[in-house]
Amino acid sequence: MDVQTEKDLLEKVGKEATEAAKLAIKTAEDAINGKTIELTKGLMSKSDFDNFKAEQMAPIQALLNTLDTASKEQGIKMAEFLEKATPNSKTLEQFIEEKASVIKDLRTTGKFVEITGAQLKAAGVQSIAGTIPTPSPYAPGVSGVLEIFDILRNPNFITSKVDMGRTNQSRLAWANELDPMEGGPALVAEGALKPQIQHKFTIETSTAKKVAGWIELTDEFEQDLPNFASNVRRKLQEDVERAFDDLIQIDVQDAARPYEITGLDGQIAFANRWDAILAMMAQVGSYNFVPNAVAINWITNAMLQSAKNENGTYLLPSFADDIRRMLVYSNKMANGHALVGDLKQYHVDIYKDFVLKIGWINDEFIYNKFAIVGEMRFHSYISDARKKALVYDSLAEVANTIEGSGSF
């Protein structure tokens, strides 16, 4: 707390409240600075850091509630301190306010302003929270941050498992090796003809795909509920990134092979879901790949883990831990199905990170409305020969295929 802030507080709320404010801020500052180091080193996730920061803000928020109206300005300064928990940080509102003149000019130029993730990071934007908003005539009685109890949608998972990279090319060329190759090395006698080896390739070209969406806000909504409007913008980014993950998952599943090897047909006595997953892993391994993921949804997992024999004993095979180490639970997976394989063989190259574009469309200006577009562009591809690294099928059908006497 600087000297002037302390002096102002002494005049407005007295020594006791001032000392309490100093202690609360010092405690929060020490705690948040410690966690900021962990966040910077990657030892703490952004969500855990935000939760910790919210916990540290609680006593200061309680102190704010005890201050009279005349001291609200100083209370806001304390809240702003916590928002700037990392050096040179800004809120999203502050970042956009700096661009207010540019955004205003859009009304006459008809263009849009683009805000990239790199710009936000460079400006030190750490969160979308801001100062305490004034009461809104559109939401009577609301003078604090609105907590959104939004719909919990299926979380992303596939983009954390595939091979993610970056490129500056809107058209990306890559070599697709065809299977099988012609010829191969062989043992030859001295002076004998050596066999020819011919690897076959086709050159594929990928044009960057785009996933995008847009929302519309009014000036009043933006001005009177700024924190809520920021949450809406954040949810636009979440929606676009979820759609991106959905598209990748659909493409990965379309590229995957069904269960097709025959070496285990009729070989597994009393075959169940565990056996089906093991057989799918065996297919991936038989094609010379090492699986790194077994993706199923929560209902399928419950059926897998709770299976019992006629005596009520749980069916947990000796290889259960091998499968559990690779299990990924995702409600984006179809019930009763599994995606098994080396997902790193599927490549995704980001061409343009997620960006926000703010502007006016047609006659929106006369209605005090503006549009916010969120979009990202990317390449996604997998070689035909590498599709064998992925298998997607029904566990029940695979179990029926391998079901047999199991005798040798």
Side-chain angles (χ1 to χ4, degrees), residues 49-100:
F49 178 78
D50 290 340
N51 291 336
F52 178 81
K53 190 168 69 171
E55 292 176 0
Q56 298 303 312
M57 287 183 67
I60 291 186
Q61 186 62 52
L63 181 60
L64 287 177
N65 293 336
T66 67
L67 301 179
D68 61 293
T69 304
S71 65
K72 184 66 71 176
E73 182 179 350
Q74 300 305 323
I76 289 174
K77 288 183 179 180
M78 291 192 296
E80 288 175 339
F81 155 75
L82 285 180
E83 192 56 51
K84 297 177 181 178
T86 54
N88 303 319
S89 66
K90 298 178 183 178
T91 66
L92 184 56
E93 283 77 22
Q94 290 169 330
F95 181 83
I96 293 180
E97 283 173 5
E98 293 176 358
K99 294 185 175 292

Side-chain angles (χ1 to χ4, degrees), residues 337-357:
H337 284 64
L339 174 65
V340 180
D342 179 5
L343 272 61
K344 291 294 184 181
Q345 299 302 326
Y346 187 94
H347 299 277
V348 177
D349 291 325
I350 302 298
Y351 171 54
K352 295 291 184 181
D353 278 314
F354 177 84
V355 296
L356 286 174
K357 297 179 180 179

